[in-house]
Amino acid sequence: MRTPKTRFFISALFLSLMLTAHAWAMTAAQQEQFDGILNMTMAKLTEASEALLEKKYPDEDWDEYNFPSFVFTSDSVEVGYKIAVKEPDLLGQTNLKDKNVVIPCYCFCDAMGHDNLLYCFLKEGKLEAGFDDHASGCNICYGQAMQAFLWNDLGATHDEIIAGMEKKYQRLIQMKKDGKF
């Protein structure tokens, strides 16, 4: 029978190993690419995401989605909405088994009833409910969509994607904590 001290030690050891394994999840080359995506300008994010969309969905008939005119505000906006319709699980929950864990939007549109990043693009987070125009006017939303798309393609885990976003949007996160939002 294990004593409470032994159980605590085993639990601490297991947690330590899990954190260490997580830290080694990406190779050095992947980490360099991840950081490159983190620091891309909007133009470069758009260019890279557009190329990846074309690679993953070469024969896609985008007209079938009947995008509203606000989707065509800019190339970046259009790419964000294309990612939303093709990879809704990525923006809503990303690559994980726990469907209660999501990618939040760091423009803090949760006050508008947005449960996760997907809601910025799709009403109620569902394609069948129609398009939400919020993301068309918010560079944080479509920027996050492109970052998640590129990081996911790189093989980043949900936790790595969230950590990257928290690093990118740390100033906004702090402003919200300080009550400036």
Side-chain angles (χ1 to χ4, degrees):
M1 180 170 222
R2 295 185 180 141
T3 67
K5 270 186 175 179
T6 304
R7 281 190 299 240
F8 174 77
F9 177 77
I10 291 171
S11 295
L13 180 63
F14 178 75
L15 181 61
S16 175
L17 289 172
M18 292 298 290
L19 290 173
T20 303
H22 175 72
W24 290 340
M26 280 195 265
T27 65
Q30 286 173 311
Q31 185 64 53
E32 188 175 327
Q33 289 178 300
F34 186 94
D35 293 341
I37 293 165
L38 177 72
N39 296 311
M40 280 183 179
T41 64
M42 191 62 72
K44 291 290 184 188
L45 270 175
T46 303
E47 183 182 318
S49 297
E50 217 166 21
L52 183 55
L53 277 168
E54 182 59 35
K55 178 182 169 191
K56 287 183 80 169
Y57 308 105
D59 299 320
E60 188 66 35
D61 179 11
W62 296 107
D63 292 336
E64 81 177 56
Y65 294 100
N66 202 20
F67 290 112
S69 60
F70 59 77
V71 169
F72 304 106
T73 307
S74 72
D75 290 344
S76 300
V77 171
E78 186 176 344
V79 168
Y81 279 89
K82 286 178 177 179
I83 292 167
V85 299
K86 291 308 294 178
E87 305 213 8
D89 285 346
L90 172 65
L91 302 189
Q93 287 143 340
T94 197
N95 49 1
L96 41 85
K97 294 175 185 157
D98 183 355
K99 296 300 180 187
N100 295 314
V101 180
V102 299
I103 295 180
C105 179
Y106 292 103
C107 80
F108 305 108
C109 55
D110 52 339
M112 299 170 53
H114 290 180
D115 288 347
N116 57 52
L117 182 58
L118 184 60
Y119 279 58
C120 301
F121 298 90
L122 304 176
K123 292 178 182 175
E124 301 171 21
K126 300 174 189 168
L127 184 57
E128 58 273 8
F131 294 96
D132 191 304
D133 67 349
H134 174 72
S136 68
C138 182
N139 64 346
I140 294 170
C141 297
Y142 54 80
Q144 276 188 256
M146 291 187 282
Q147 288 166 329
F149 184 57
L150 294 171
W151 283 333
N152 187 62
D153 186 64
L154 184 62
T157 66
H158 175 78
D159 290 342
E160 290 164 338
I161 290 170
I162 294 298
M165 289 189 180
E166 287 175 348
K167 183 175 181 180
K168 177 76 173 182
Y169 302 104
Q170 65 186 340
R171 197 174 100 240
L172 293 174
I173 294 167
Q174 188 59 50
M175 289 172 70
K176 184 169 184 179
K177 284 181 185 176
D178 293 344
K180 295 179 181 177
F181 265 106

